[in-house]
């Protein structure tokens, strides 16, 4: 879908209504971008290292991969997965797990940089656990 830049004044409720129209993948990406903006406002004087790590932490998995993964999870739960789709799900699960492991590595580096525990950092950043089924 092409994106156009339009200047408009929207109320918070109008912005929320617009967000409701996004697909699940687009909404997840939008939320990540909003969290990145919030993090910048809370700590505008971040070092280059912290900014780089936060950028990497907030980078979501490719939207098409996430969408296919979600579809295959739903098919698995409905018990309609073919053998080929099952193999595809295994491959995508590996990619998702690699992405999560990389994100955890960056979170750990940021915690070390800030000299706090990983659990303290997770609370500080407001990170909520995801259920990937």
């Amino acid at each position: 879908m092409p994106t156009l830049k339009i200047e408009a004044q929207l109320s918070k409720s109008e912005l929320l209504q617009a967000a409701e129209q996004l697909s699940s993948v687009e909404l997840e990406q939008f939320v990540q971008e909003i969290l990145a903006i919030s993090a910048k406002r809370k700590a505008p004087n971040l070092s280059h290292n912290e900014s780089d790590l936060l950028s990497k932490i907030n980078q979501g998995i490719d939207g098409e991969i996430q969408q296919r993964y979600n579809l295959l999870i739903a098919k698995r739960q409905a018990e309609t997965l073919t053998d080929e789709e099952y193999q595809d799900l295994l491959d995508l699960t590996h990619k998702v797990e690699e992405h999560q492991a990389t994100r955890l590595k960056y979170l750990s580096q940021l915690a070390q940089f800030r000299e706090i525990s990983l659990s303290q950092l997770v609370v500080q950043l407001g990170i909520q656990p995801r259920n990937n089924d």
Side-chain angles (χ1 to χ4, degrees):
M1 173 192 304
T3 303
L4 301 173
K5 182 178 179 181
I6 299 173
E7 289 190 36
Q9 290 186 343
L10 297 174
S11 69
K12 184 173 72 171
S13 64
E14 290 170 327
L15 187 56
L16 288 172
Q17 287 175 350
E20 286 179 342
Q21 297 174 35
L22 298 172
S23 71
S24 294
V25 171
E26 291 172 324
L27 181 61
E28 182 66 30
Q29 291 170 343
F30 182 70
V31 167
Q32 292 301 323
E33 291 173 22
I34 294 296
L35 289 174
I37 291 169
S38 178
K40 284 181 187 177
R41 287 185 179 177
K42 288 179 183 175
N45 297 321
L46 294 177
S47 70
H48 175 71
N49 191 21
E50 282 181 292
S51 294
D52 185 47
L53 286 170
L54 282 169
S55 176
K56 290 175 181 177
I57 289 165
N58 287 322
Q59 186 174 2
I61 197 160
D62 179 71
E64 289 180 21
I65 290 174
Q66 186 67 55
Q67 197 167 20
R68 177 76 174 147
Y69 180 74
N70 292 343
L71 172 72
L72 293 174
I73 292 291
K75 289 187 85 168
R76 183 192 69 195
Q77 291 171 338
E79 298 181 4
T80 60
L81 208 56
T82 67
D83 290 340
E84 185 178 315
E85 289 171 329
Y86 176 71
Q87 188 57 52
D88 193 18
L89 177 58
L90 291 177
D91 294 341
L92 290 175
T93 298
H94 181 70
K95 288 180 183 179
V96 168
E97 288 174 349
E98 282 180 344
H99 179 266
Q100 290 171 339
T102 301
R103 186 171 186 244
L104 185 58
K105 178 184 82 171
Y106 293 136
L107 283 164
S108 179
Q109 288 174 1
L110 183 58
Q112 287 177 341
F113 185 81
R114 291 185 177 181
E115 298 179 349
I116 60 175
S117 71
L118 184 56
S119 57
Q120 287 174 311
L121 180 68
V122 167
V123 170
Q124 219 178 59
L125 297 178
I127 295 174
Q128 299 295 319
R130 291 185 186 164
N131 182 7
N132 288 327
D133 295 313

